[in-house]
Amino acid sequence: MTDLSDLPPVWSGRGVPAWPGVPLLVALALWAYAMRHTDVSRLDDYGLVSALHPAFWAGLAVLTTGFWFTVRDARRPAAWSAAYVLGLLVMERATQAVLYPTPLYAWGWKHEAVIDHLLTAGGLQTAEQVGDMAVYDQWPGFFAAQAALQRLLGVDSVAMYMAWWPLVSSLMLLLPLLLIYRTFTEDRRLIWTAVWLFYVANWVGQDYFSPQSVAYALHVGVLAVVLRRFGRSAVRRGRSRQAVWTVVLTVLIVTIIISHQLTPGMLVVCLLALCLSRRYRDWVPLVTTVVIFLAWCLTAALPFLSAAMPDMIRSIGDVGANVETGYGATPTGTGAIATSWAARLLSGSVLLLAAVGVLRQRVLRHRAWPLLLVAAAPLPMFAASSYGSEMIFRVLLFMLPGAAFFAAAALLPKVRTLAADAAAQEAGNRQSATRQSATRQSGGPSKARRWGIGTWVPLAALLGGTLAFVPAYSGKDRINYFPPQEVALVRQLFEQAPDGSLVVAANRNYPDAYASYGSVDHYWFLDDARSHVDEIVRHPAATLARDMAGVERPGRAYFLLTQGQLANSEMNGQLDRAQLDRIRRSVAASPRFRLVAENSAGSLYVLKQSEGAER
């Protein structure tokens, strides 16, 4: 157990029980006002950051300040801290769902297409039937569960609740985080500050509608069970209960393994790190995970792994290449670069605070040594794979539960064991009585002590991190948001495209990009070699017509260029607006293409059948 009892009261007076609700209500009122007065119809390179009404930023500052002074006061019930954290989640994760009329993220729309295909096809399919998309059928846990939920709710599509998934998946993390932190401390100030920092630093964006959002929550849940129920002291207290907890772990582990590719690997390294400490020598969780993981890889996931294994083996040990961004992944433009630096500074600051907490809080460092191991365990994954240039972000995400705990310890005063406090109190009663008498005579604790550097410097750090979350998380919304006009244009395409058709686009950043993937092929030319991209830029219509000419009747070849593709290409250092406009104008002027549909969000053309047959 740990205690932070050297914190002085930060508020006094008869209104003590009620005042924490005032900043919370003010913050939520400002947020609601900002939602009504924020226009997202014209996002610039700063995404949602520049579009938000100033009331949002004021509300976030009020919320953070109210939380800090509430959580520091020992007289406040934990319910107030919980209320502030829930307010934070609303402002962080519900803002986009309220403001945008359509769900964010092309990958979220892709997962919606997988669920729709699963419901339509009636079962899993092989690579011969659906090509590269068969990988989703080899890890079907999330999609099968969502298909069942869609049928249970009676909705036409998961898109009806997809926008709210970041809030849902974040709430799923709350209970396991509290269980983990309560394993190492009973001081609610440290617990809730750690939870706050976790959510603030979790900008990586894996909380959207995706298998990894659920798998990550289950991963944290497995760690919570292992840390609380599989330590030496827990095993000695009740060996008969271990069988029950082993069954619980097995269910969680199976769900993770059948849902996501990377999370089981991260879980293995974390459990292995725990087994290297004296407190967690029970190998059952690790062995269970490894056995089930291998069984799945050698059966259901074998087709994908057989094809991917050569590249996976080549990437092992190549740390430089694994953390390097490739063509089309380099932030370009003032807004994209500022967003990228905000994310880096936020993560770097939390990791730096965690290091300070480890060095400064000796008692906590010893007590929470297993959590420190869990935080460091994902680091070797840098040497394992690039994971599509995302490994650095995933490592940060899996380090975060432990890093947030020690970062919170850095913001709070020295941690002391309860036993040490009792001994000090017994030995120093006289000195304490003398100090209390002097305090009463002077009229109470000095304002300098109550409002000193130990209050304002941590508050500034907490406030800076909380505000930095917004650009780190929402700064690329120009890429991730698809207006209703773009959704309508793409749906018009797939409503008329016959089986065997081909859709050609600059990239896959548009809604429903994978709709009907069982019957319609796709070609994104910015994924091609740079030499071919340069040829398309030089001779757009002729080159694209040649690329699209192989489609056989009754299929058609379509060219789609939308607002989302333009934003993705421009902000990630590929083709700029002028180059993509040149391509569009060339296609529009070519007699080989015919305009099918057009609106403010994009254009859709079809290659004329006669031209395709001649070529």
Side-chain angles (χ1 to χ4, degrees), residues 9 18 21 84 127 136 142 149 262 302 308 315 395 408 501 530 537 571 607:
Y84 272 95
Y136 293 99
F142 173 80
L149 180 61
L262 178 65
L302 187 60
S315 66
V395 168
S501 294
R530 187 61 188 262
V537 173
M571 293 186 66
L607 182 69

Side-chain angles (χ1 to χ4, degrees), residues 7-8 10 67-74 189 411-413 454-455:
L7 283 168
V10 297
F67 167 78
W68 179 241
F69 286 115
T70 298
V71 79
R72 280 175 56 93
D73 195 332
R189 287 161 287 196
L411 295 179
L412 295 167
T455 298

Side-chain angles (χ1 to χ4, degrees), residues 167-186:
L167 179 60
V168 172
S169 60
S170 296
L171 288 171
M172 289 169 58
L173 286 163
L174 184 56
L175 177 60
L177 283 173
L178 291 174
L179 291 176
I180 289 176
Y181 296 152
R182 283 181 61 84
T183 303
F184 302 106
T185 179
E186 291 186 354

Side-chain angles (χ1 to χ4, degrees), residues 474-545:
S474 306
K476 291 188 176 181
D477 278 7
R478 183 187 163 213
I479 293 176
N480 299 323
Y481 168 56
F482 309 113
Q485 297 90 336
E486 188 168 356
V487 175
L489 182 68
V490 176
R491 286 181 173 171
Q492 183 176 350
L493 160 63
F494 286 106
E495 285 172 0
Q496 66 174 260
D499 290 352
S501 294
L502 172 69
V503 177
V504 177
N507 53 53
R508 67 196 76 194
N509 193 59
Y510 53 94
D512 275 334
Y514 289 85
S516 304
Y517 65 80
S519 58
V520 176
D521 290 329
H522 302 82
Y523 167 53
W524 298 291
F525 61 79
L526 288 181
D527 289 348
D528 226 335
R530 187 61 188 262
S531 57
H532 189 67
V533 174
D534 291 339
E535 184 180 357
I536 291 175
V537 173
R538 287 194 299 269
H539 309 289
T543 306
L544 288 171

Side-chain angles (χ1 to χ4, degrees), residues 83 193 266 362 458:
T193 304
M266 290 290 190
R362 185 182 64 178

Side-chain angles (χ1 to χ4, degrees), residues 265-477:
M266 290 290 190
L267 182 59
V268 167
V269 297
C270 290
L271 294 178
L272 179 60
L274 286 177
C275 286
L276 299 179
S277 68
R278 295 179 181 179
R279 300 182 212 175
Y280 295 92
R281 287 294 171 84
D282 192 332
W283 291 79
V284 171
L286 175 61
V287 172
T288 301
T289 304
V290 171
V291 169
I292 298 174
F293 188 29
L294 289 177
W296 188 261
C297 290
L298 295 175
T299 53
L302 187 60
F304 169 80
L305 293 176
S306 299
M309 192 59 69
D311 289 336
M312 294 170 64
I313 293 175
R314 280 194 296 269
S315 66
I316 295 177
D318 193 356
V319 178
N322 290 344
V323 299
E324 182 182 17
T325 57
Y327 169 63
T330 303
T332 304
T334 306
I337 293 175
T339 294
S340 177
W341 274 106
R344 295 177 188 178
L345 290 173
L346 178 55
S347 293
S349 298
V350 171
L351 293 178
L352 181 60
L353 280 174
V356 172
V358 170
L359 295 175
R360 180 168 173 258
Q361 308 281 17
R362 185 182 64 178
V363 172
L364 191 62
R365 181 171 69 240
H366 171 73
R367 172 84 180 165
W369 172 248
L371 190 54
L372 188 59
L373 289 176
V374 169
L379 287 171
M381 296 298 286
F382 279 131
S385 171
S386 68
Y387 203 70
S389 299
E390 289 189 8
M391 184 57 75
I392 186 171
F393 306 119
R394 303 304 177 92
V395 168
L396 285 171
L397 179 63
F398 282 88
M399 292 176 65
L400 198 51
F405 183 76
F406 287 98
L411 295 179
L412 295 167
K414 284 286 187 179
V415 176
R416 302 181 310 217
T417 63
L418 294 177
D421 279 345
Q425 184 177 1
E426 183 177 354
N429 278 337
R430 293 184 180 178
Q431 293 88 336
S432 177
T434 302
R435 287 195 300 268
Q436 290 175 3
S437 176
T439 297
R440 286 193 296 268
Q441 293 175 7
S442 63
S446 69
K447 186 175 292 187
R449 182 170 179 260
R450 290 173 52 198
W451 307 101
I453 191 171
T455 298
W456 296 112
V457 171
L459 172 59
L462 195 67
L463 187 58
T466 304
L467 295 177
F469 169 86
V470 181
Y473 186 76
S474 306
K476 291 188 176 181
D477 278 7

Side-chain angles (χ1 to χ4, degrees), residues 109 112 116 119 150 154-162 491:
W109 288 87
E112 187 264 347
D116 182 67
L119 289 170
Q150 180 178 334
V155 297
D156 295 333
S157 169
V158 295
M160 298 185 70
Y161 59 83
M162 196 163 66
R491 286 181 173 171

